[in-house]
Amino acid sequence: MTALHPLTFLGVQISSLCSRGKYSTDPAVHAQAVDEIRKVAGVHTDLRDHEVGVWVGYYGDEYTRTRAAALVDAFPGCVPHIALGVQRRGAGGNRTPETSMPAGIGKIRRAPDHPLRGSRGLRMLRVSAEVIHRGG
């Protein structure tokens, strides 16, 4: 396993500090997060501003409004990076589109003569589970 580059690791730390207590409405919680981010980032203010801006753009919503405002107030250099966070939030997941999958892949099908097919089979399954649960 390879170790992360120290600046990559620092970026992860800053981002995680942005997330800690993000739903709180207590200004003291947000002030503590800002202080920790300043302490961890040290002289790497450009990296700090980038990570904070991307975080605010990605996670900024009605539930994290107080945290996002505290971060923007504390680190005004993050504002140019907010657009990148918004863009990443709208990018979606890293999945293969379903239209490119061959037909039938990923679908579970039972054979027509499967013993649990239909409501009778489900009833049998429920009765079996009750018997096992009672120990009989």
Side-chain angles (χ1 to χ4, degrees):
M1 182 173 172
T2 60
L4 290 176
H5 186 276
L7 291 179
T8 303
F9 183 70
L10 180 60
V12 171
Q13 284 182 305
I14 293 169
S15 182
S16 69
L17 287 171
C18 289
S19 290
R20 190 181 307 160
K22 66 183 175 184
Y23 298 116
S24 176
T25 56
D26 182 6
V29 172
H30 303 303
Q32 181 183 5
V34 166
D35 289 341
E36 287 183 54
I37 291 168
R38 276 198 179 105
K39 189 185 310 179
V40 168
V43 298
H44 300 286
T45 57
D46 55 339
L47 177 63
R48 177 200 65 203
D49 290 345
H50 173 78
E51 292 296 332
V52 169
V54 169
W55 188 93
V56 168
Y58 192 90
Y59 293 104
D61 62 13
E62 62 185 282
Y63 304 108
T64 60
R65 181 179 311 151
T66 309
R67 171 58 56 94
L71 292 172
V72 171
D73 288 345
F75 309 114
C78 77
V79 173
H81 305 284
I82 293 174
L84 178 59
V86 171
Q87 178 186 0
R88 287 182 180 174
R89 180 180 59 214
N94 294 331
R95 297 188 308 159
T96 304
E98 290 186 30
T99 56
S100 67
M101 294 175 62
I105 299 274
K107 294 181 180 176
I108 299 173
R109 294 189 178 138
R110 289 190 188 141
D113 58 345
H114 192 280
L116 297 180
R117 188 161 180 85
S119 60
R120 181 176 171 270
L122 291 176
R123 246 182 293 122
M124 289 175 20
L125 184 61
R126 249 184 263 124
V127 170
S128 299
E130 289 172 11
V131 169
I132 291 170
H133 180 69
R134 281 185 281 177

